[in-house]
């Protein structure tokens, strides 16, 4: 009887560790997937912040309308100040998502040498398509961030109902930017088989 266990004769060529892929393209592809996943997760936070911002805008509008319509009240009621502070917190969430998207784009671009021009990453996209989509998302975030930041800084200081309504509508009606970006994110999720 042997004192050491009997080992089965298996060929090492059939067994591959998932941590040591066969070529650099596989490592780079998994890095691309991780970067895309990070971008998608930050976008979920962005969308949640947009929804919260709509609630805060409407609350500020309701409080300010009653203040603007009745004389002798403080122009900045306590609850408006609280909602404005919460709006500024939301702006930091947008800023984080924007910075994350820019970082993702930089990291993706750094992997360019790992892929051939026609190499498919995901299901159908090549490397340039991924870069193009991320550039579109970053541009969209920048434009929306500037507008939402301006609204959050100024909505509490409005002195007319027309201006107040303009800011609320401005926050709630950025649908064209959002619609195009949502399509880009849904396409990325499909390409990399991430569930929504």
């Amino acid at each position: 009887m042997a004192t050491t266990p009997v080992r089965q004769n298996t060929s090492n060529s059939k067994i591959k560790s998932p941590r040591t892929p066969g070529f650099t393209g596989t490592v780079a592809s998994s890095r691309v997937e991780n970067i895309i996943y990070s971008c998608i997760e930050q976008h979920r936070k962005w969308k949640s912040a947009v929804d919260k911002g709509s609630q805060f805008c409407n609350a500020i509008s309701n409080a300010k309308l009653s203040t603007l319509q009745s004389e002798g009240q403080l122009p900045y009621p306590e609850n408006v100040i609280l909602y404005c502070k919460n709006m500024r917190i939301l702006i930091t969430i947008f800023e984080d998502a924007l910075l994350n998207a820019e970082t993702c784009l930089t990291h993706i671009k750094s992997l360019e040498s790992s892929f051939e021009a026609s190499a498919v990453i995901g299901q159908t996209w090549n490397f340039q398509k991924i870069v193009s989509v991320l550039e579109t998302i970053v541009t969209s975030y920048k434009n929306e961030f500037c507008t939402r930041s301006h609204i959050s800084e100024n909505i509490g200081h409005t002195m007319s109902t027309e201006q107040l309504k303009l800011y609320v509508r401005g926050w709630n009606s950025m649908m064209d930017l959002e619609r195009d970006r949502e399509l880009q994110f849904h396409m990325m999720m499909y390409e990399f088989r991430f569930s929504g």
Side-chain angles (χ1 to χ4, degrees), residues 70-140:
S70 58
E71 293 182 25
Q73 286 192 344
L74 291 172
Y76 303 106
E78 191 66 35
N79 58 349
V80 169
I81 294 170
L82 178 65
Y83 290 130
C84 289
K85 286 180 181 178
N86 289 338
M87 292 278 291
R88 292 307 302 160
I89 292 169
L90 292 180
I91 295 304
T92 63
I93 294 171
F94 296 139
E95 190 173 24
D96 287 346
L98 172 59
L99 291 173
N100 181 69
E102 290 174 333
T103 303
C104 287
L105 180 59
T106 302
H107 288 201
I108 291 279
K109 286 181 175 180
S110 72
L111 297 171
E112 183 174 16
S113 62
S114 302
F115 298 102
E116 295 176 12
S118 62
V120 173
I121 308 167
Q123 293 188 53
T124 60
W125 286 0
N126 65 14
F127 183 79
Q128 289 306 318
K129 175 65 177 175
I130 294 170
V131 170
S132 172
V133 166
L134 283 177
E135 286 173 340
T136 302
I137 289 168
V138 166
T139 302
S140 170

Side-chain angles (χ1 to χ4, degrees), residues 57-58 61 155 163-173:
C57 279
N58 291 329
S61 175
I155 192 167
Q163 189 179 23
L164 184 61
K165 289 177 183 175
L166 175 68
Y167 284 137
V168 173
R169 283 188 196 121
W171 185 280
N172 293 327
S173 66

Side-chain angles (χ1 to χ4, degrees), residues 64 68 75-76 154-164 167:
K64 288 287 286 184
L68 292 172
Y76 303 106
N154 294 294
I155 192 167
H157 302 287
T158 56
M159 297 309 271
S160 71
T161 56
E162 293 80 21
Q163 189 179 23
L164 184 61
Y167 284 137

